[in-house]
């Protein structure tokens, strides 16, 4: 039964439905890795998932389980040892992406009877725009019911249909089999856990990048999609990079999360004639690999990424075949090759509910939904298809060859009492020989350390209620209660400079900033054993009414030595 779901809350700002933006529809086949068994050629030793407890188990535990297995208590993500203890008669199968993708062509053929160009997000999940097909079917509920009936009557499997405004919204709506009213997708998404973001990422590469960020979000106290969506997008992008910004867009349920597939003015494509014609899937795999590498090289040369891959083929009898796959990131040649090979196997193996396709005489790959690669470029340490550490070392070596030996230095943490002594700079590839051994470091500044430390301390004044300077006595105590802090002009004259990366001069520092809280001081008496080499200073942490907390250092006068940004 497909029915609308009430909104979980008021629509987010700027989330009103736009009549020019299409609604999305998703068709989800639960536990597809197991269901795909029923569509393959049956062997006497192949278990029937409808009758026997069957589970597909990979490196992360149970990937999918049949209905009898779920009835025994087996759940997704469960370890194999636990699953076998719950169900001793469990039939365990390894994941077979080729089989899953090949068998899914039967579902796509059934959906193509009602949808103009359904998109394969991954085997088991198909996407399409809903506005046009819904008008033809008489409404969204009627369209959803027709799709369920078509998949049941065609390949003979069960599916669930969801309709919503955004990519993540429609994927989660399909998992509940509901229709989310226009403009209410952000409220529908808000209570879902953050792990649900992985359902909207089409490639393993994207999911691998997202998992560490989801762990970081959890440690920061973000547990629901609404928690992440409530944060400013600019701040999330600055802190967590392109992957964090993508996850924020998905969690927000905005229009920008829709996969767009408009063709560019000139197609970015790779095409080849197949002579002699190809009628076997294993033979077609060689042509698929060559074309995938050509298309990937062309995307790299243009500096573009693709959201979708269109696989088109012409048969010897004149028939035209075509299918679209969701990418959502900068694809590697291996990812393109896999999808082309899976699609060709679905056409040529004859497992789509129809006879095998006639021999293929031409194959064409088209990249759709192009965007500048910089919008999805991985960082230096996360290059797709290449070892991150090796790539970083190679880039650093090139920079050092331009600057000369010792011109490239990297920070190395070490024990110490203050932020400046806890990090030293050493040449790239060198090891520091003067790192002190672990020690208690009595009198060290307590954690956390400042996030920003200026290149040189900035002169400041710490004032009491009468406007007099607050000092530190011999016992290491403040001489008065601090009420204000100001940043003073430098000794060379002029306004103080924050240095590179500090955003220029601090605006408005000529006025007094009221001190709300403070901690300390922490006196440090260093090198007291050296004649004339003693260094006495004290540190104070202050929170002002405006701006971030500051770390002040008293050495002859007050200095700003760090910012807790």
């Amino acid at each position: 039964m497909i029915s609308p779901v009430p909104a979980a809350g008021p629509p987010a700002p700027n989330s009103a439905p736009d009549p020019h933006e299409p609604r999305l529809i998703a068709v989800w086949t639960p536990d597809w890795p197991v269901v795909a068994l029923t569509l393959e050629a049956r062997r006497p030793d192949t278990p029937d998932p409808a009758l026997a407890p069957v589970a597909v188990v990979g490196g992360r535990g149970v990937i999918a389980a049949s209905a009898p297995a779920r009835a025994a208590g087996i759940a997704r993500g469960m370890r194999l040892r636990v699953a076998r203890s719950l169900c001793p008669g469990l039939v365990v199968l390894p994941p077979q992406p080729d089989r899953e993708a090949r068998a899914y062509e039967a579902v796509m053929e059934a959906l193509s009877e009602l949808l103009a160009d359904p998109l394969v997000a991954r085997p088991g999940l198909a996407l399409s725009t809903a506005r046009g097909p819904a008008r033809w079917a008489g409404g969204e509920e009627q369209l959803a019911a027709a799709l369920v009936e078509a998949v049941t009557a065609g390949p003979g499997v069960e599916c669930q249909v969801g309709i919503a405004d955004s990519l993540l919204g429609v994927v989660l709506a399909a998992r509940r089999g509901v229709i989310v009213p226009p403009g209410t997708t952000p409220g529908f998404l808000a209570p879902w856990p953050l792990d649900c973001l992985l359902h909207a990422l089409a490639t393993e590469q994207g999911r691998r990048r997202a998992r560490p960020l989801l762990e970081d979000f959890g440690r920061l106290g973000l547990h629901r999609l609404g928690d992440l969506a409530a944060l400013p997008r600019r701040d999330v992008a600055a802190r967590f990079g392109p992957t964090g910004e993508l996850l924020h867009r998905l969690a927000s349920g905005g229009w920008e999360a829709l996969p767009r597939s408009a063709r560019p003015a000139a197609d970015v494509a790779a095409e080849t004639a197949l002579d002699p014609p190809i009628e076997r899937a294993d033979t077609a795999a060689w042509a698929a690999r060559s074309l995938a590498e050509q298309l990937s090289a062309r995307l790299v040369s243009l500096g573009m990424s693709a959201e979708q891959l269109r696989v088109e083929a012409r048969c010897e009898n004149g028939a035209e075949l075509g299918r679209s796959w969701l990418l959502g990131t900068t694809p590697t040649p291996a990812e393109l090759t896999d999808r082309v090979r899976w699609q060709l196997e679905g056409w040529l193996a004859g497992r789509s509910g129809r006879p095998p396709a006639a021999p293929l005489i031409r194959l064409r790959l088209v990249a759709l939904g192009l965007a500048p690669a910089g919008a999805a470029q991985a960082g230096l340490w996360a290059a797709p298809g290449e070892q991150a550490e090796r790539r970083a070392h190679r880039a650093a070596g090139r920079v050092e060859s331009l600057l000369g030996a010792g011109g490239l230095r990297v920070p190395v943490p070490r024990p110490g009492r203050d932020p400046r002594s806890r990090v030293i700079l050493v040449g790239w590839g060198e090891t520091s020989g003067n790192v002190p051994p672990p020690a208690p470091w009595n009198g060290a500044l307590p954690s956390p350390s400042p996030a920003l430390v200026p290149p040189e301390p900035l002169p400041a004044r710490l004032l009491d209620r009468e406007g007099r300077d607050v000092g530190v006595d011999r016992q290491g105590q403040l001489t008065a209660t601090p009420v204000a802090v100001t940043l003073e002009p430098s000794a060379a004259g002029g306004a103080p400079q924050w240095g590179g990366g500090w955003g220029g001069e601090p605006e408005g520092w000529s006025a007094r900033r009221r001190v709300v809280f403070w901690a300390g001081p922490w006196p440090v008496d260093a090198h007291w054993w050296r004649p004339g080499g003693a260094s006495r200073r004290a540190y104070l942490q202050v929170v002002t009414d405006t701006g971030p907390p500051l770390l002040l250092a008293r050495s002859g006068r007050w200095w700003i030595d760090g910012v807790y940004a």
Side-chain angles (χ1 to χ4, degrees):
M1 180 68 180
I2 305 296
S3 60
V5 61
N14 301 325
S15 65
D18 187 342
H20 301 290
E21 294 289 352
R23 294 264 285 166
L24 285 183
I25 187 168
V27 180
W28 176 57
T29 307
D31 296 321
W32 176 253
V34 172
V35 174
L37 288 173
T38 63
L39 303 181
E40 289 286 305
R42 303 305 303 274
R43 302 190 306 269
D45 58 342
T46 302
D48 187 352
L51 303 175
V54 181
V56 176
V57 181
R60 292 181 175 270
V62 176
I63 298 175
S66 64
R70 290 197 303 273
I74 297 176
R76 181 182 176 91
M78 182 179 292
R79 290 300 178 186
L80 177 59
R81 183 189 308 175
V82 179
R84 286 195 181 279
S85 66
L86 295 175
C87 183
L90 181 67
V91 178
V92 178
L93 299 175
Q96 299 182 23
D98 292 3
R99 179 198 66 202
E100 298 165 17
R102 182 172 61 240
Y104 196 60
E105 180 61 19
V107 178
M108 297 302 296
E109 289 287 351
L111 298 179
S112 298
E113 299 294 333
L114 298 171
L115 304 175
D117 186 18
L119 174 70
V120 181
R122 60 178 177 272
L125 178 65
L127 302 173
S128 179
T129 56
R131 197 176 299 276
R135 291 197 188 107
W136 174 83
E140 293 181 345
E141 293 186 44
Q142 290 81 353
L143 174 62
L147 289 172
V148 172
E149 183 178 354
V151 174
T152 303
V157 299
E158 296 181 355
C159 69
Q160 295 181 189
V161 178
I163 301 178
D165 296 338
S166 71
L167 176 58
L168 181 60
V170 74
V171 171
L172 298 184
R175 288 181 167 264
R176 287 188 177 177
V178 297
I179 298 175
V180 182
T184 63
T185 299
F188 169 74
L189 291 175
W192 287 80
L194 279 183
D195 289 346
C196 294
L197 287 165
L198 298 176
H199 297 320
L201 302 177
T203 62
E204 180 58 33
Q205 176 193 146
R207 291 188 288 272
R208 188 169 56 250
R209 293 176 184 171
R211 287 189 182 100
L213 289 188
L214 296 181
E215 295 177 0
D216 292 341
F217 291 155
R219 286 191 288 268
L220 293 174
L222 306 176
H223 304 291
R224 304 289 176 183
L225 296 178
D227 300 336
L228 178 59
L231 298 178
R233 180 174 303 172
R234 180 180 302 178
D235 295 345
V236 174
R239 175 62 181 84
F240 298 102
T243 302
E245 185 179 13
L246 170 63
L247 297 181
H248 186 278
R249 290 202 308 267
L250 291 172
S252 301
W255 293 118
E256 62 275 4
L258 286 171
R260 305 182 183 276
S261 59
R263 286 183 179 267
D267 285 341
V268 177
E271 185 174 5
T272 185
L274 305 176
D275 189 16
I278 291 178
E279 56 184 342
R280 292 177 49 188
D282 55 351
T283 307
W286 291 100
R289 178 177 180 179
S290 176
L291 278 186
E293 292 175 348
Q294 293 178 28
L295 182 61
S296 179
R298 186 171 181 188
L299 287 173
V300 171
S301 65
L302 295 175
M304 306 295 288
S305 64
E307 289 185 349
Q308 297 181 23
L309 171 67
R310 177 74 178 176
V311 184
E312 299 175 347
R314 181 179 300 169
C315 299
E316 194 175 34
N317 59 3
E320 299 283 348
L321 304 175
R323 184 73 68 217
S324 298
W325 287 75
L326 182 65
L327 295 173
T329 184
T330 304
T332 64
E335 290 174 339
L336 294 178
T337 301
D338 285 343
R339 282 153 179 78
V340 178
R341 179 168 51 85
W342 294 340
Q343 188 58 58
L344 294 179
E345 288 183 355
W347 284 332
L348 295 174
R351 293 181 173 90
S352 61
R354 298 181 179 182
L360 307 181
I361 62 174
R362 182 166 292 275
L363 181 61
R364 186 169 188 258
L365 308 183
V366 186
L368 300 177
L370 300 180
Q377 179 64 37
L380 176 66
W381 302 93
E386 187 177 3
Q387 292 185 1
E389 185 176 357
R390 183 185 303 173
R391 181 173 186 257
H393 278 271
R394 186 165 61 249
R398 287 197 295 264
V399 173
E400 188 174 35
S401 66
L402 298 175
L403 300 178
L408 179 63
R409 297 189 296 172
V410 295
V412 175
R414 66 173 188 173
R417 288 189 171 88
D418 60 86
R420 292 185 180 277
S421 64
R422 289 176 181 172
V423 176
I424 61 174
L425 296 176
V426 300
W428 174 261
E430 300 178 5
T431 58
S432 173
N434 60 346
V435 176
W441 295 100
N442 296 329
L445 190 69
S447 298
S449 295
L452 299 174
V453 177
E456 297 294 337
L458 306 176
R461 293 184 66 190
L462 188 64
L463 307 175
D464 61 11
R465 190 176 303 277
E466 284 74 25
R468 295 174 298 190
D469 290 329
V470 177
V472 179
D473 58 23
R474 291 182 177 272
Q475 287 73 37
Q477 301 297 319
L478 296 179
T479 58
T481 300
V483 298
V485 61
T486 63
L487 184 64
E488 296 297 300
S490 63
Q497 300 290 329
W498 288 94
W502 284 69
E505 301 175 6
E507 184 179 355
W509 270 91
S510 58
R512 292 157 51 109
R513 291 195 175 183
R514 186 168 60 88
V515 175
V516 181
F517 303 105
W518 76 90
W522 290 273
V524 177
D525 191 0
H527 301 162
W528 53 268
W529 61 91
R530 296 180 181 177
S535 173
R536 298 178 59 88
R537 60 189 183 276
Y539 290 94
L540 184 72
Q541 297 171 331
V542 298
V543 177
T544 60
D545 55 346
T546 58
L550 304 173
L551 175 64
L552 302 182
R554 177 74 176 184
S555 180
R557 62 167 304 161
W558 287 105
W559 305 85
I560 295 180
D561 208 28
V563 178
Y564 296 91

